[in-house]
Amino acid sequence: MPAPEQFRLIFKHIDEPGYTNDLACYVRNGGYEVLKKSVARKPEELVDEVKKSGLRGRGGAGFPCGVKWTLLDRKSGKPIYLVVNADESEPGTFKDRYIIHNDPHQLIEGIMITCFANKVERAYIYIRGEFPEGARILEKAIAEARAANFCGPNILGTGYGCEIYVHRGAGAYICGEETGLIESIEGKRPYPRIKPPYFPAVLGLYQCPTIVNNVETLCHVKHIADRGGEAYSKIGTPNNTGTRILCVSGHVQRPGYYEFEVGKITMGQLLFEVCGGPLPGRTFKAVIPGGSSAKVLKFGERYKGKRKSGAEMVEYDWGLEDIPMDFDSLAMIGSMGGSGGVIVMDDSVSMVEALANINAFYSHESCGQCTPCREGSLWMKKITSRMVHGEARTEDGALLKSVADQIAGRTICAFGEACAWPTQSFIAKFGDEFKAYPEAKKAPRAAAAPELV
Amino acid sequence: MIQPASPDLITVNVDGKEIAVPKGTNMIEAARRVGVDVPHYCYHSKLSIVGNCRMCLVEMGMPAVDPASKAPVIDPATGKQRVNWSPRPTIACATNASPGLHICTTSPMVKECREGVMEFLLINHPLDCPICDQAGECKLQEQSTGYGRGYSRFIEQKNVKPKRTLLGPRVMLDDERCILCSRCIRFSKEVAKDDVLGFVDRGSYSTLTCYPGKKLENNYSLNTVDICPVGALTSTDFRFKMRVWFLKQTNSIDTETSVGVNTVVWSREGVVYRITPRENGSVNDTWMPDSGRTLYKQIREGGRLEAARVSGSVADLESAVKAAAALISGAKVAVVGSGRSSVEEQFLTRKLAARAGAEAYLVSRVGQGDNLLVSTDKNPNVRGALVTGLISELPKPSLGALGERIDSGSVTTVVSVGEDLLAAGLSASQLAKVSIVYLGTHDNATSGLAKVVIPTLTVFEKHGTFVNQQFRIQRFAKAVPGPSGSSDDLVVLSKLLSAAGGEALGADVGSLWPSIASEVPALSTMAYSNIPDTGLLLDSSPWSTLAFAEEATLHFKPAAAAPKEAPRG
Amino acid sequence: MNLQAETLRKIDEVIPHYPVKRSAALPLLHLVQEDQGFISNEAIEWIADRLEIQPINVYELVTFYPMFRQKPIGRRHIKVCRTLSCAIMGGYRTCAEFQKQFGTGLGEVSPDGEVTVEFVECLASCGTAPVVMIDDHLHEKVDAARARELSDKIKGEAKTANR
Ligand SMILES: Cc1cc2nc3c(=O)[nH]c(=O)nc-3n(C[C@H](O)[C@H](O)[C@H](O)COP(=O)(O)O)c2cc1C
Ligand code: SF4
Ligand code: SF4
Ligand code: FES
Ligand code: FES
């Protein structure tokens, strides 16, 4: 079956020649019309639209956005904050940067509709420190929007006002975790908070109720407010509505960002057709489907079981190529859609070395607060680095798995899983390669094999 | 004593045992009440909860209810409500009791979690227990025996961190032993309000540090040593002096001020090695000032009185008492009692003063407090003097009134219970006009001028009680014997009393207490042995009009500022 | 502290963005580092004072966030992405090339004082791997050949600047 056409909702204008990131261009293309429409409605209606839309968060966890908003503690009398997660630091993910650089007003419009819907009067955009240009672009865009009365006091004459501020990070992946991010805005070390009791919806920024949403999620809000929740929910597939930006990197002919209806394209269509297949003379070996924390998938493996199709349960027997790129299917086969970052590795890559690279990332990024993640992530890194640069032992794979098993599910934040899942899945799927590594290492290195650690 | 109205109690289930606990009790404390120990490092009952060590992971379950009808789901096999166990372990320190909450601390999953955390904590640990000061008090050592696997799978290089850093004058840090629990940081920030400690770097390389150029030198710095669960923080004073398992522990009270901080005195073979705080949630929580920890040094300080003296010559106790009685009988006597004496001593002092027809004075010691555990009244027991009736109003800033009476010739003998009269404001020429009987532990100007000197004991060498600023009566006990030439204050005072023609009263707390109870209204319902380790609050209403010197400290608000509260037992 | 008037103006502007002063710690660190080139202890104390917090609170941040440095670096900062997508596309070779071009080790100041080469984690441009950030600017698809070109350009600019 040929791959479907891209459905460009968020990235409608992104590659358009002559499309610029200033207010004039945005307004020329119909910008801020949805905000104008929205502020004439009741905030509760907008929340309802988002609920009806079925929108799921695009930051990683895929949590239903409308549900998140309804969990807000609106009775506390405290101000409600919106924090925009523009930390985009999950390896393999590169969509938010393009939104920010090329279409910042789309994000600001989404933010303002979200703020109006939730009676938020102050929003912070937490942008990773590595995006200095992005931060400048956002600041300029906010100033433009403010001058045009799309944000700031008394927006469009409604009496409702809201300020947006840009807050820059400084090189820490853990600031993408929502409570670490909140601590970071509070000027502290970004140590994720224990939940309970510190659920952002109740005790978030400055101990006030807080919404944390990803950049892409908030852009979708604009389109939901535009089309209506019902109409939006017809895009994509049931429970996996709307469009999703897939970021493909690694060993494919045409890496890059692609926007499709969620669940309407399979992994095979994406990698072989849209991305042009493997590089000349190579074959695909493995793919990580949702940012580097997602469990790795192996080409050639099959996934069997039962799944819901409409009201009934049907059997499925999929090859990797057959997996629909949606939240539920990827979770069903034991991985996740995560942040939409698809990392492809071909037969030039040693799985031991790839894991060593990933482990180096996680041990560097662990905040160090809780014991299993702090000690386990560095231990796994030390083992894999030793395997590559020192003496590798056949039993190292088993040890790695056991260390990872002692982390996942026992930590303060989901970084514990993020750092354990790669190891667990690499060993589960490529265990033989780990066992054979001590021998394989003795052979001269293939010219194509990249250095990874 | 009046019990607090019982707060909302709820029933939880710990390893199959049901227990009623106040709402909001966390699972570690709830388990403690049924005798189940949940191992933990970062949790401390008096600090904020951060949940970082993950040692306290347990399994948690809630009674099952039908989602639609909210009716309990009954397990047909047992006839009881089914429990839905969470698939993931939960930290007990941050999980508060809610009705019907179940926790399980014995499952294979919990065992495995603890083994995992223990292994992780030890991989970068130097494992230098044989040379570590904390040995015997180290929770890591304890719990690795209890909950660890007992062997290491770690063959990589350990992290290298700074060793033997002086954080301040009294505290030494070994970063390689630190398990990053952040207790010391939280204590400094939350209790001592001296935010100088913090972590630098991140991940497994995180390192506890004092900001360069700053020192951990506040008067509470040693509490960080107490709460450090491992041997990362040690006291420079106690380091390597003595293995703790050799030491005897005796309950005592910090005599620095009227706060009445509860302490433990650690001693061996008559020698005190250290003083640490003892938990009292109504007084000092688990803290004490550094300044109170070295008070034991007075025991062996130079100037300790070694023998009784009469007119400068060594005498035995009996003849010294006789000589003193002679100076009292028929003379115009004044008694300078002490706010440092115990309730029992003050009671006998009052008796003696009454017998001698003497007016009793107390030396005032008002100074700087810190609004935490050092109050403005440097006497530990002014309220004891009020309660026993030794005095009826607060001591004047100086002994000026006594001085005038000496000058006018209406006082010819002064009995001082441990007070240096010169330091307390009397002049040398005034002292030259009277005969002085001095009971005390150390040489001073007054003992030099006294006709009769009788050596007595420090607080570490005797039993007794103090009444602190809250009117809480608290016991202290004898940790070490006194020096050979000295006698218990109570012995001396009761001998003096009967030698001066007074009644024969008990010369130790046990035999004296019945008399105290029968004569002192505020203590009438009590017996020495019945005073709990954390003390008893007395009815303070008879003294509610007095203007006490103290400002607010931890668990204490000056009466004027605070609305009147019923005393708590 | 000898901060430029413009930096001081920005500092005054950013603090009221937050209901709690401490929140301005990261913005102030960025501003001071842009002004001074690195974060000295004097800067830490100045910021702490400005935000009414303790120096340790600022020091904890400086050492947590890799973008803050406590020592000066070369005039240009070359940050090569080390993470998976870039590594499998040759990021390590790119990094080695920069080091060779300037005769410098990782994290050092090159002998000519011109650059500091560093590995950093994923720069969120994995689709155009390997990527490199030079100062504030992202360069995409930087293979060894492109690394040589960029190095030459930096060297050329240094000469012009020195003339
Ligand atoms: C370790 C870790 C890193 C994360 N990094 C990011 C990130 O870079 N960007 C992001 O949007 N969400 C990230 N998340 C997810 C956020 O915690 C949060 O779920 C998300 O921002 C919510 O927004 P959404 O509901 O719109 O997806 C991360 C989570 C974890 C545990
Ligand atoms: S799981 Fe890792 S990143 Fe998350 S709080 Fe614990 S140590 Fe920090
Ligand atoms: S020094 Fe002790 S108390 Fe402080 S963080 Fe380390 S282990 Fe915890
Ligand atoms: S005691 Fe440390 S996590 Fe609970
Ligand atoms: S891996 Fe290099 S930019 Fe993402």
Side-chain angles (χ1 to χ4, degrees), chain A residues 299-420:
Chain A
F299 279 83
E301 64 184 355
R302 295 205 74 78
Y303 313 92
K304 290 178 199 168
K306 281 195 170 162
R307 69 185 172 96
K308 236 166 123 174
S309 170
E312 51 195 299
M313 300 297 285
V314 296
E315 301 263 339
Y316 69 92
D317 178 2
W318 288 336
L320 191 157
E321 295 79 1
D322 307 321
I323 305 166
M325 297 299 284
D326 64 64
F327 293 101
D328 293 341
S329 301
L330 285 163
M332 202 163 65
I333 56 113
S335 187
M336 64 171 180
S339 58
V342 181
I343 306 169
V344 186
M345 288 170 276
D346 67 21
D347 55 351
S348 69
V349 177
S350 151
M351 286 297 118
V352 176
E353 292 167 18
L355 182 63
N357 179 286
I358 294 175
N359 285 348
F361 174 81
Y362 287 104
S363 65
H364 183 256
E365 300 300 334
S366 165
C367 83
Q369 196 186 185
C370 62
T371 310
C373 165
R374 174 182 73 230
E375 301 302 332
S377 62
L378 185 64
W379 190 1
M380 294 191 298
K381 183 230 163 175
K382 283 177 176 175
I383 296 171
T384 42
S385 301
R386 169 177 53 73
M387 289 181 75
V388 177
H389 293 300
E391 191 210 341
R393 309 177 304 172
T394 46
E395 67 267 34
D396 283 331
L399 177 59
L400 278 166
K401 175 181 181 299
S402 148
V403 173
D405 291 347
Q406 291 186 164
I407 305 172
R410 303 179 187 180
T411 54
I412 291 179
C413 84
F415 187 106
E417 282 77 39
C419 78

Side-chain angles (χ1 to χ4, degrees), chain B residues 153-221:
Chain B
R153 306 183 291 170
F154 187 79
I155 60 162
E156 324 301 330
Q157 289 270 324
K158 285 182 194 267
N159 295 343
V160 177
K161 290 185 187 176
K163 312 244 343 149
R164 317 187 94 258
T165 315
L166 263 182
L167 288 183
R170 295 175 291 280
V171 181
M172 174 89 90
L173 166 67
D174 182 332
D175 267 307
E176 288 186 350
R177 292 183 189 148
C178 170
I179 60 165
L180 303 169
C181 74
S182 81
R183 276 181 167 192
C184 56
I185 299 176
R186 282 176 282 147
F187 172 81
S188 300
K189 196 180 308 231
E190 295 165 13
V191 181
K193 309 268 191 287
D194 183 25
D195 208 355
V196 290
L197 297 181
F199 291 134
V200 291
D201 298 334
R202 70 184 190 194
S204 183
Y205 299 105
S206 302
T207 304
L208 179 73
T209 313
C210 192
Y211 182 73
K214 292 230 176 191
K215 288 194 179 104
L216 177 66
E217 58 185 351
N218 66 62
N219 193 27
Y220 292 87
S221 69

Side-chain angles (χ1 to χ4, degrees), chain B residues 336-526:
Chain B
V336 178
S338 178
R340 292 168 164 176
S341 296
S342 69
V343 167
E344 297 75 15
E345 291 157 14
Q346 290 169 339
F347 175 74
L348 286 181
T349 309
R350 187 198 102 189
K351 286 279 180 190
L352 180 66
R355 173 66 212 157
E359 186 139 353
Y361 298 85
L362 215 67
V363 175
S364 158
R365 286 192 173 80
V366 176
Q368 273 288 313
D370 65 2
N371 300 110
L372 185 50
L373 289 174
V374 173
S375 71
T376 46
D377 191 345
K378 310 298 170 188
N379 273 324
N381 200 24
V382 166
R383 285 167 182 73
L386 290 167
V387 167
T388 52
L390 174 61
I391 54 172
S392 55
E393 51 189 51
L394 292 175
K396 300 271 171 331
S398 83
L399 291 180
L402 174 57
E404 281 166 25
R405 292 184 60 213
I406 293 172
D407 286 335
S408 70
S410 47
V411 168
T412 55
T413 293
V414 179
V415 179
S416 167
V417 186
E419 295 290 5
D420 181 356
L421 302 173
L422 217 55
L426 297 184
S427 67
S429 65
Q430 285 166 338
L431 292 184
K433 296 179 192 158
V434 291
S435 305
I436 301 171
V437 175
Y438 180 76
L439 280 52
T441 55
H442 288 75
D443 249 333
N444 56 29
T446 304
S447 70
L449 295 171
K451 284 253 166 53
V452 178
V453 175
I454 304 178
T456 55
L457 301 179
T458 67
V459 68
F460 306 101
E461 299 155 340
K462 60 191 181 187
H463 299 282
T465 54
F466 292 130
V467 180
N468 81 350
Q469 58 182 355
Q470 305 159 311
F471 276 92
R472 176 182 300 275
I473 185 164
Q474 308 191 103
R475 289 189 307 195
F476 59 88
K478 174 174 171 174
V480 292
S484 59
S486 54
S487 315
D488 192 313
D489 304 58
L490 292 182
V491 172
V492 178
L493 285 166
S494 73
K495 279 185 190 297
L496 208 49
L497 177 60
S498 50
E503 57 204 301
L505 286 174
D508 59 77
V509 286
S511 54
L512 187 57
W513 257 82
S515 323
I516 295 180
S518 71
E519 286 189 41
V520 178
L523 307 178
S524 60
T525 57
M526 296 165 47

